Amino acid sequence: MALKTRNLDSWMESMALNLGRRPDTRFLLWLHGASVGETLSLLPIARALLRHRHTHVLITSGTVTALKRVQMEPLGDRVTLQ
């Protein structure tokens, strides 16, 4: 399979080859959006969940564009984007 360099990171991530370390937390809630619109619709949910101090949120998306857009949001250090 030929991969372009810019897509290599996302491919490795989808194969769970370069995953970061899981946050040391009691609760890690995973939210997934398949598209840009779905991923952006997760933001109010993520913010509501983060009101609980022991909660961390993992946001994943089916598109690189969605993750780039969510990176523009001030979500804090208890949110992991993947």
Side-chain angles (χ1 to χ4, degrees), residues 38-48 59 69-70 73 75:
E38 285 183 12
T39 306
L40 291 177
S41 71
L42 298 174
L43 294 176
I45 298 167
R47 288 185 177 110
I59 297 177
R69 174 58 185 87
V70 173
E73 298 292 324
L75 296 172

Side-chain angles (χ1 to χ4, degrees), residues 63-73 81:
T63 69
V64 174
T65 305
L67 287 179
K68 287 180 180 178
R69 174 58 185 87
V70 173
Q71 286 174 341
M72 296 179 198
E73 298 292 324
L81 301 176

Side-chain angles (χ1 to χ4, degrees), residues 12-78:
M12 288 180 64
E13 205 167 83
S14 69
M15 296 290 122
L17 297 175
N18 69 343
L19 298 178
R21 221 180 130 106
R22 181 175 179 226
D24 185 22
T25 182
R26 286 172 116 176
F27 301 103
L28 176 64
L29 300 168
W30 181 3
L31 304 176
H32 178 78
S35 64
V36 174
E38 285 183 12
T39 306
L40 291 177
S41 71
L42 298 174
L43 294 176
I45 298 167
R47 288 185 177 110
L49 292 169
L50 291 169
R51 290 186 191 126
H52 303 280
R53 65 183 181 138
H54 294 294
T55 300
H56 281 67
V57 177
L58 168 65
I59 297 177
T60 60
S61 177
T63 69
V64 174
T65 305
L67 287 179
K68 287 180 180 178
R69 174 58 185 87
V70 173
Q71 286 174 341
M72 296 179 198
E73 298 292 324
L75 296 172
D77 62 347
R78 291 186 295 141

